[in-house]
Amino acid sequence: MVDNSVIQSLPLPTFAKVRYNSWQLDEMIPATDKATTPFFMKNEKNGIEVSGLSTTYQHLTEEMTAQGVILMSMIQAKTEHPDLVENMIASVVDKAADRLSAQNFAQFNTGIFVYIPENVQFDEVLHLTLNHLATSGKDLVARVFVYIGSNAKVDILQEMHTIGTQKTKASVIIEVIADSGAQVTYANIDSFGEQTTAFINREAEVRNHATVDWQNAEFNDGNVIIRLASQLNGEGSTSHTNVIGLTTKKQTQGLVTTILNRGRHSLGHIFQRGVILNRSTLVFNGIGKIIKGAKGSDAQQESRVLMLSRRARGDANPLLLIDENDVTAGHAASVGRVDENQMYYLMSRGISEQVARKLVIRGFMGEVLAKMPTKAAQQQVVEEIERKLKHEDD
Amino acid sequence: MATLKVENLHVSVEGKEILKGVNLIVNTGEIHAIMGPNGTGKSTLSQTIMGHPAYEVTEGHIYIDNQDLSEMSVDQRARAGLFLAMQYPSEIQGVTNAEFMRAAINARRPEDDQIGVMSFIEKLDEKREFLSMSEEMAERYLNEGFSGGEKKRNEILQMMMIEPKIAILDEIDSGLDIDALKVVSRGVNEMRSNEFGALMITHYQRLLDYIVPDFVHVMMGGKIVKTGGAELAKKLEAEGYAGLRDELGLNVHLTDEDVNSYFVED
Ligand SMILES: Nc1ncnc2c1ncn2[C@@H]1O[C@H](COP(=O)(O)OP(=O)(O)O)[C@@H](O)[C@H]1O
Ligand SMILES: [Mg+2]
């Protein structure tokens, strides 16, 4: 047990231009709610759904089991693989990284654990779903850990949802290690409900010649702060970090997306697209940091937001911190409006302005949508966009 | 039966007058061609008819039947029967071709009578095969990553799916090899009927070998300077725009002051 006064003395994580002090994310009461039947997952070959403290779906093919893949709830993993879990947890996000992360470490009571041994190749998506059961008024405090061994290859799709309508909070830390030569696509569809105030912290450690490409869709309805970081520690390590976000009503989604180039010839590209409606706020902070010695590395970022209402608030803040001369780096950021030529093209086919607008807004986020690992996930993103855009005229 | 009527049309772009009094009547059942040197205002005419916001009508009128287009939005014009195959179609990722075309068809139908999935797919397959387009194109994103030729075919596919009364085809032939040109022409010829009229804008006589027009108009300096039958295109091919200009005694500057400019791809 970590001393609470030590935790409270740590600083809150930095989210520039996002005011979240009043959200009380540093006061969590971990929920102990349970469920018996799956909410979303069915017939998935390799997938797990964890709902509150319960595992509501779990399946791994015999082939993957035989190769030593571990896919289980954090609770089960702690019982069956205590040493492995002990070694892994907090090896990417330090247990004292900041006040909220430290608190998560001290309090988490659920989550998902994935271990993929070296050389294992997944042909189909590995699907992880985490549901917050907001039924007792208590909070979700969860940890997800994914280890991908050397030269293994996998596409992961993770979803997060709120079940129930009680006003609660969520703290989720997702740690990823991609060992040398591993090839990982990690897609996330975050859809916490309107009554869930959340802190989400994802971080990957990318070793020699490994790749972790993120495809993140932020469709939460409540107030959330989201940190996403890739440590490119290895020589020739790579991350394409792609993020889309859509905010509605009065919510705030504040993001910090970071890539740290530490390895030589490492490549980190951040690409973000956000759409802001009603009185909501969406903030993209992009940070590219190149450490001295990371010769030949490349850091690029491009963040664009569409403001669809006069009362919406949006920001795209790029930051490049470079401590090495032998690098390439660049950034672009903009706050803009719906593409007129695309509107004209669609309307010239008889499509009404209202429908055309929805399609053009979808197109604005299309590059990330198109990279979702399955047709079903693409369709889900389309539906989430449609759902959120229903509030356009609010 | 429908009629597109352009009456003494003057159009400015960014404050500069491009069209200086265009008159034109296109009826269903007729195929018209407009030819003219680069930069003379052919695309300006087609975009203005469709209602692109960058083009300002400063004088004159455009009617479809007896409706004045100036009071109609772009989508209303389309639903009234107009179609424009664009020179530079937009790309939209995340929206499939099939979804887009279905939305276009359904926009013309009442809410309680939307086209069924099966009849839509049947129609799409039929038209797509007619244009020798692959099956997977339906699920690809709208024009995204399409080659120039694929985009042109896709414009024609949309036209065949939507079945407009009057279609304007802006340089549908540019950038097409001869096989693709034949396919695209087949599409337009297939549409030929008493219920369909077309206004083809082209730089080249070549297209008119495959789609023989009833009327040819020559545009120079923002006006139609001569109208004739299919033979006018042949004459133009032989003499070039400069030749015709001099014959008509016009004081118009051609961007490429060269009789052969007519054969140069832009
Ligand atoms: N959207 C536009 N913005 C600015 N200028 C334009 C635009 N469209 C056309 N123009 C100008 O109008 C003139 C005619 O162009 P266009 O209609 O494209 O000619 P054509 O299609 O005959 O080659 C040119 O000088 C061109 O630069
Ligand atoms: Mg043109």
Side-chain angles (χ1 to χ4, degrees):
Chain A
M1 193 67 206
V2 182
D3 183 350
N4 200 45
S5 65
V6 173
I7 294 176
Q8 291 302 329
S9 71
L10 291 169
L12 284 167
T14 308
F15 284 83
K17 306 211 176 180
V18 186
R19 296 241 301 268
Y20 70 93
N21 294 38
S22 63
W23 299 1
Q24 300 179 317
L25 284 167
D26 54 354
E27 292 167 27
M28 294 270 173
I29 304 169
T32 52
D33 301 48
K34 291 184 178 171
T36 48
T37 48
F39 293 92
F40 300 98
M41 206 174 276
K42 52 180 183 231
N43 307 326
E44 203 67 70
K45 276 192 180 159
N46 297 303
I48 186 167
E49 182 184 85
V50 170
S51 307
L53 296 191
S54 312
T55 301
T56 42
Y57 183 95
Q58 184 173 19
H59 197 267
L60 193 62
T61 58
E62 277 174 26
E63 187 198 346
M64 288 302 156
T65 310
Q67 292 186 66
V69 173
I70 299 170
L71 173 66
M72 51 183 64
S73 74
M74 195 54 90
I75 293 173
Q76 189 185 355
K78 275 184 161 179
T79 314
E80 295 186 14
H81 306 281
D83 296 343
L84 193 57
V85 173
E86 174 89 10
N87 278 336
M88 295 273 174
I89 295 286
S91 66
V92 182
V93 176
D94 191 85
K95 58 189 176 198
D98 59 72
R99 195 188 307 167
L100 303 185
S101 299
Q103 193 153 30
N104 179 289
F105 182 79
Q107 291 191 302
F108 78 92
N109 64 351
T110 185
I112 296 170
F113 186 81
V114 180
Y115 183 91
I116 302 172
E118 59 181 12
N119 300 320
V120 173
Q121 312 258 326
F122 276 81
D123 294 331
E124 274 163 287
V125 76
L126 173 62
H127 197 161
L128 318 175
T129 296
L130 185 61
N131 297 322
H132 170 32
L133 301 181
T135 41
S136 67
K138 293 188 183 139
D139 310 316
L140 173 72
V141 186
R143 199 108 186 170
V144 175
F145 197 100
V146 181
Y147 171 84
I148 304 104
S150 295
N151 300 314
K153 188 170 180 300
V154 64
D155 291 341
I156 298 168
L157 170 63
Q158 183 183 327
E159 291 174 46
M160 299 205 284
H161 302 273
T162 304
I163 307 294
T165 53
Q166 299 242 346
K167 184 150 183 57
T168 52
K169 288 172 274 192
S171 162
V172 184
I173 293 188
I174 295 115
E175 297 177 89
V176 178
I177 294 177
D179 220 327
S180 26
Q183 301 295 315
V184 183
T185 299
Y186 203 132
N188 288 284
I189 304 178
D190 294 343
S191 313
F192 281 132
E194 195 168 350
Q195 301 300 330
T196 305
T197 303
F199 167 60
I200 303 170
N201 185 1
R202 295 186 170 88
E203 183 152 350
E205 182 191 328
V206 191
R207 298 182 177 164
N208 288 343
H209 303 288
T211 297
V212 174
D213 287 337
W214 298 100
Q215 316 295 350
N216 285 12
E218 303 301 345
F219 295 140
N220 304 292
D221 287 338
N223 289 331
V224 291
I225 43 174
I226 302 158
R227 178 172 176 272
L228 171 60
S230 299
Q231 304 176 26
L232 302 180
N233 291 349
E235 162 114 32
S237 53
T238 298
S239 177
H240 291 96
T241 299
N242 299 322
V243 180
I244 51 177
L246 211 167
T247 56
T248 52
K249 299 189 185 173
K250 288 186 189 166
Q251 77 170 134
T252 293
Q253 293 198 93
L255 289 83
V256 173
T257 304
T258 302
I259 298 184
L260 184 71
N261 292 75
R262 193 177 277 131
R264 289 183 174 215
H265 304 288
S266 57
L267 179 148
H269 288 185
I270 295 172
F271 176 95
Q272 307 189 93
R273 287 278 186 276
V275 176
I276 318 169
L277 285 90
N278 317 127
R279 293 167 179 232
S280 65
T281 301
L282 178 63
V283 179
F284 282 141
N285 292 295
I287 304 175
K289 188 167 182 193
I290 303 184
I291 306 285
K292 187 146 188 65
K295 291 188 189 306
S297 59
D298 183 32
Q300 307 288 341
Q301 54 175 298
E302 183 191 323
S303 301
R304 303 197 187 280
V305 294
L306 271 190
M307 301 260 260
L308 297 183
S309 135
R310 268 190 303 121
R311 292 177 302 179
R313 217 172 68 72
D315 253 311
N317 313 309
L319 192 62
L320 281 173
L321 305 163
I322 302 176
D323 257 342
E324 171 59 52
N325 291 321
D326 176 21
V327 299
T328 49
H331 65 79
S334 69
V335 177
R337 306 206 163 269
V338 176
D339 187 304
E340 286 235 348
N341 282 321
Q342 292 180 339
M343 284 297 291
Y344 170 65
Y345 187 64
L346 295 181
M347 288 174 71
S348 79
R349 279 19 176 178
I351 296 172
S352 71
E353 182 170 3
Q354 202 194 7
V355 173
R357 228 171 121 82
K358 286 190 199 306
L359 296 177
V360 171
I361 292 168
R362 190 203 298 173
F364 179 72
M365 296 183 279
E367 194 158 332
V368 178
L369 190 172
K371 292 199 178 97
M372 286 288 151
T374 62
K375 280 266 170 251
Q378 289 172 5
Q379 188 52 34
Q380 195 177 331
V381 168
V382 167
E383 282 163 18
E384 288 285 293
I385 293 172
E386 299 274 316
R387 181 182 66 79
K388 288 217 128 200
L389 289 180
K390 285 212 178 87
H391 299 291
E392 226 203 311
D393 307 316
D394 289 6
Chain B
M1 164 84 188
T3 301
L4 171 71
K5 190 157 96 190
V6 178
E7 228 177 57
N8 186 34
L9 187 68
H10 292 249
V11 174
S12 293
V13 185
E14 292 171 353
K16 184 175 150 217
E17 183 164 71
I18 307 293
L19 297 187
K20 300 167 180 165
V22 174
N23 291 287
L24 183 69
I25 293 178
V26 179
N27 292 302
T28 44
E30 300 170 355
I31 304 269
H32 292 244
I34 292 190
M35 307 185 70
N38 268 331
T40 205
K42 303 183 300 296
S43 293
T44 299
L45 176 63
S46 57
Q47 299 282 34
T48 306
I49 294 171
M50 202 67 235
H52 190 293
Y55 300 84
E56 188 197 350
V57 175
T58 53
E59 209 183 319
H61 293 273
I62 314 169
Y63 302 93
I64 182 147
D65 297 329
N66 290 317
Q67 281 175 285
D68 189 332
L69 292 189
S70 67
E71 289 151 20
M72 293 163 74
S73 60
V74 176
D75 56 320
Q76 283 171 338
R77 296 176 193 209
R79 292 195 299 271
L82 287 175
F83 180 92
L84 171 58
M86 303 205 188
Q87 197 171 353
Y88 305 107
S90 292
E91 302 180 5
I92 304 183
Q93 222 173 8
V95 178
T96 64
N97 270 303
E99 181 184 10
F100 166 60
M101 279 184 266
R102 241 182 112 189
I105 289 172
N106 280 331
R108 292 165 167 76
R109 300 169 63 124
E111 203 123 320
D112 56 5
D113 184 31
Q114 302 275 287
I115 190 167
V117 182
M118 285 321 291
S119 32
F120 173 75
I121 291 176
E122 255 167 50
K123 183 170 182 178
L124 180 61
D125 281 346
E126 182 202 321
K127 307 297 182 196
R128 179 180 60 66
E129 275 164 29
F130 190 86
L131 295 171
S132 313
M133 296 173 80
S134 69
E135 196 173 348
E136 48 102 43
M137 67 70 51
E139 288 310 312
R140 279 172 67 185
Y141 293 132
L142 183 51
N143 290 327
E144 218 266 321
F146 280 34
S147 70
E150 282 176 321
K151 282 184 185 164
K152 302 283 173 171
R153 271 185 217 215
N154 202 23
E155 294 291 284
I156 298 299
L157 177 66
Q158 290 169 37
M159 177 182 79
M160 296 182 82
M161 291 298 287
I162 290 172
E163 301 180 77
K165 291 178 187 154
I166 292 180
I168 306 166
L169 311 175
D170 194 355
E171 303 224 6
I172 198 70
D173 51 337
S174 73
L176 292 188
D177 62 29
I178 200 78
D179 290 331
L181 182 65
K182 282 182 186 167
V183 168
V184 161
S185 306
R186 227 154 65 87
V188 179
N189 286 326
E190 173 75 8
M191 296 281 294
R192 266 187 126 141
S193 80
N194 285 334
E195 275 81 56
F196 176 75
L199 179 60
M200 296 187 301
I201 291 171
T202 180
H203 212 68
Y204 306 97
Q205 135 74 20
R206 191 179 71 159
L207 175 69
L208 307 183
D209 288 339
Y210 297 95
I211 310 169
V212 180
D214 303 301
F215 302 93
V216 172
H217 312 275
V218 181
M219 197 163 154
M220 271 191 238
K223 275 185 177 173
I224 289 174
V225 296
K226 195 170 171 72
T227 293
E231 75 293 341
L232 178 56
K234 301 261 192 237
K235 180 172 145 74
L236 211 49
E237 185 182 29
E239 297 174 12
Y241 290 114
L244 181 69
R245 175 197 57 185
D246 297 342
E247 183 188 312
L248 294 172
L250 296 170
N251 179 22
V252 174
H253 172 77
L254 299 178
T255 359
D256 316 295
E257 193 72 26
D258 169 7
V259 271
N260 292 321
S261 73
Y262 179 79
F263 298 99
V264 180
E265 278 267 357
D266 55 8

